[in-house]
Amino acid sequence: MYKSLFSTILLMYLSLSSFATHIIGGDFQVTQTGANTFFVTLTVFRDCNPANSSSVTIGSVDVRDNVTNNIVQTLFNWTGPVTNNPPIGDNCFDPTVWGICVEKRIFTKTFTLSNNPNGYYLAWDICCRNGTVANLDVGSPSNPTEGSTFYVQIPDPALWNGTSGNSTPDFGDYPVDGYFCISSDSLDADIKDFSVTDADGDDLKYYLINPYNDGTTSKPFNLVPWQPGHSLANILGNFSPGYQSMSIDVNTGIITAFPQTQGLYAFAVLVEEWRNGVKIGETVRDLQYQAINCSSSTPPLISIEDSVAVYVDDQICFDIQVTTSNSTDSVYLYINSPNFDLQGNFVQPNIGANASSYSDWLGISNNTLGFTNLGVDTNMIGPGDAIVGLGIIPLRYCWTPECEDLDSVFLLDLMGVVIDTCGNGIDTTTIYGDPVSI
């Protein structure tokens, strides 16, 4: 589903108090650089609208034994912050138009730890969250009282093998598509890719968890209470039958959401690291997404000739075209046939560095069709390898029929899929057994 934002969009983050930091989210990332040395990055996202305080500083971060919870070290004198405004928005959404401001603050520190089979964890807490969060009970909107705890667990430094040890998963920058689109019905999912990178190639598992509150840096952490009608089992407060709760694929990090109500929603994703079947660490990112009204486009249009006139031993061609309502949308085509040689009869276009073309398109002399180079992709929403294009997929098939081919009917199965540039909505058009007669 192609999503373009209505002018009735709400602000993602409203400025309510000049005394609150209005924390949006953040996370830790730790890299082992030597036998017992580590480099840690703490990223904090805050609402940087003018009425909000800019007083996000790091006094100290506790390092604790992962089993006993005892403090083994307190990290002072952090470097930073390095401050910037990460890019947010897509072809359909310019956050600056709506006064949305996200500031990223990066703090770093080098430290050492002794070998310890229990492993360690780092934790840092801060108050306060945005008072306008719809699904968490953070106190008064003008004076929120509930905060955040950022946390990462790391393995025994003895994991160091002489050249490397462990790097915790990297969540990357603030998501460009960091918002939800209201679902039009119980089948209208908003899909978000929350997968992370891991420098060591460890196996990763993804979970949605209750966001952590401030007040302690020792496990078990305090949890932010939920607003009525919301819970970890119903993060977005879905209230209509058939609307699935927000979920995350444990293996891929793909989030599926069916938001029904506009509002600012906080959620947290925990990522576990596994190596050789053993869990070695975990990290959490806490974020807030605004759910907004969006509009849907039409599904992709598949154009194909149903009958072709041909003489025996003469070459005949037919063209297939899949188009979208927006030239910037990614479009996929899955095509199969039980009785037509798609691969052997496919005619390559004239291919350039970035663009391709077909001449005499649709049988019209001197009608040249230009398009962005096509590719092949295995996409999660389809049945295997797909042809992928930008806004359009044109295909040409030519062959020379024999006598036995006359009065034949070839069957084509086609599924066109469009992924929009706003919110990753999905629309499909499917044609099964479409006949092409000669």
Side-chain angles (χ1 to χ4, degrees):
M1 148 179 71
Y2 169 73
K3 314 256 184 173
S4 60
L5 304 188
F6 286 134
S7 60
T8 55
I9 180 176
L10 297 181
L11 295 182
M12 185 182 293
Y13 307 116
L14 300 181
S15 303
L16 293 173
S17 173
S18 61
F19 301 101
T21 51
H22 289 253
I23 297 299
I24 293 171
D27 57 85
F28 279 106
Q29 207 270 330
V30 182
T31 299
Q32 188 170 4
T33 56
N36 296 95
T37 58
F38 296 84
F39 182 78
V40 57
T41 300
L42 173 56
T43 300
V44 181
F45 299 111
R46 58 172 290 273
D47 182 347
C48 52
N49 278 295
N52 294 329
S53 168
S54 60
S55 58
V56 177
T57 58
I58 308 298
S60 64
V61 172
D62 291 331
V63 182
R64 295 177 181 267
D65 183 289
N66 189 52
V67 174
T68 68
N69 290 325
N70 292 333
I71 294 177
V72 298
Q73 189 175 164
T74 300
L75 304 179
F76 297 98
N77 302 319
W78 287 69
T79 300
V82 176
T83 303
N84 62 58
N85 298 98
I88 304 172
D90 48 35
N91 291 342
C92 310
F93 174 50
D94 180 0
T96 62
V97 173
W98 310 103
I100 295 171
C101 183
V102 176
E103 181 186 79
K104 176 182 178 181
R105 294 199 162 199
I106 302 172
F107 303 86
T108 58
K109 177 74 175 175
T110 298
F111 64 104
T112 61
L113 287 172
S114 301
N115 292 348
N116 176 8
N118 293 343
Y120 300 94
Y121 67 89
L122 285 68
W124 175 74
D125 65 336
I126 185 173
C127 193
C128 298
R129 293 175 178 266
N130 277 344
T132 54
V133 174
N135 59 338
L136 300 180
D137 185 0
V138 298
S140 168
S142 61
N143 189 26
T145 57
E146 310 304 307
S148 305
T149 292
F150 303 125
Y151 152 80
V152 62
Q153 177 192 329
I154 59 176
D156 184 357
L159 196 65
W160 181 261
N161 62 10
T163 58
S164 65
N166 184 65
S167 294
T168 61
D170 183 3
F171 284 100
D173 215 333
Y174 194 93
V176 172
D177 61 344
Y179 59 93
F180 290 126
C181 288
I182 300 294
S183 296
S184 59
D185 56 49
S186 61
L187 301 178
D188 182 17
D190 196 357
I191 308 297
K192 301 295 184 184
D193 186 349
F194 220 81
S195 61
V196 300
T197 59
D198 187 274
D200 310 306
D202 294 325
D203 295 326
L204 304 177
K205 301 292 184 182
Y206 298 85
Y207 303 92
L208 293 170
I209 65 169
N210 195 128
Y212 296 143
N213 207 341
D214 64 335
T216 180
T217 60
S218 177
K219 294 192 288 188
F221 302 118
N222 296 329
L223 303 179
V224 184
W226 297 93
Q227 288 281 10
H230 301 79
S231 65
L232 182 57
N234 192 9
I235 292 174
L236 302 179
N238 292 348
F239 52 85
S240 297
Y243 281 75
Q244 300 175 37
S245 298
M246 178 174 164
S247 62
I248 191 168
D249 188 290
V250 67
N251 295 311
T252 66
I254 299 297
I255 287 177
T256 303
F258 295 84
Q260 289 188 265
T261 308
Q262 286 186 344
L264 181 62
Y265 295 92
F267 63 96
V269 175
L270 180 146
V271 182
E272 293 181 345
E273 288 183 275
W274 290 75
R275 188 176 300 181
N276 300 322
V278 177
K279 180 184 171 184
I280 62 171
E282 62 185 24
T283 187
V284 175
R285 170 169 275 190
D286 194 321
L287 272 187
Q288 300 169 1
Y289 280 14
Q290 180 79 27
I292 53 181
N293 277 324
C294 305
S295 60
S296 301
S297 71
T298 57
L301 176 65
I302 300 176
S303 301
I304 181 173
E305 297 178 72
D306 290 331
S307 63
V308 179
V310 62
Y311 295 98
V312 174
D313 294 330
D314 281 351
Q315 187 184 64
I316 188 67
C317 299
F318 70 92
D319 297 334
I320 298 175
Q321 182 172 293
V322 183
T323 55
T324 70
S325 60
N326 186 289
S327 62
T328 63
D329 286 346
S330 296
V331 59
Y332 298 79
L333 176 65
Y334 301 89
I335 180 170
N336 296 285
S337 175
N339 61 346
F340 183 73
D341 184 3
L342 290 167
Q343 184 174 355
N345 295 321
F346 175 67
V347 178
Q348 290 277 4
N350 298 313
I351 301 175
N354 300 302
S356 302
S357 65
Y358 278 114
S359 60
D360 299 333
W361 184 247
L362 298 178
I364 303 173
S365 297
N366 301 317
N367 180 30
T368 299
L369 176 70
F371 51 95
T372 302
N373 284 344
L374 303 178
V376 177
D377 191 18
T378 298
N379 191 269
M380 65 177 178
I381 55 178
D385 287 343
I387 303 166
V388 60
L390 191 64
I392 184 172
I393 296 176
L395 303 174
R396 173 168 288 169
Y397 295 93
C398 295
W399 81 105
T400 302
E402 305 293 337
C403 289
E404 58 268 23
D405 293 323
L406 294 182
D407 298 322
S408 296
V409 176
F410 297 105
L411 299 178
L412 301 178
D413 295 334
L414 306 103
M415 183 173 73
V417 181
V418 61
I419 302 183
D420 71 275
T421 52
C422 304
N424 292 330
I426 295 170
D427 275 305
T428 65
T429 295
T430 304
I431 302 176
Y432 293 114
D434 189 58
V436 177
S437 304
I438 63 171

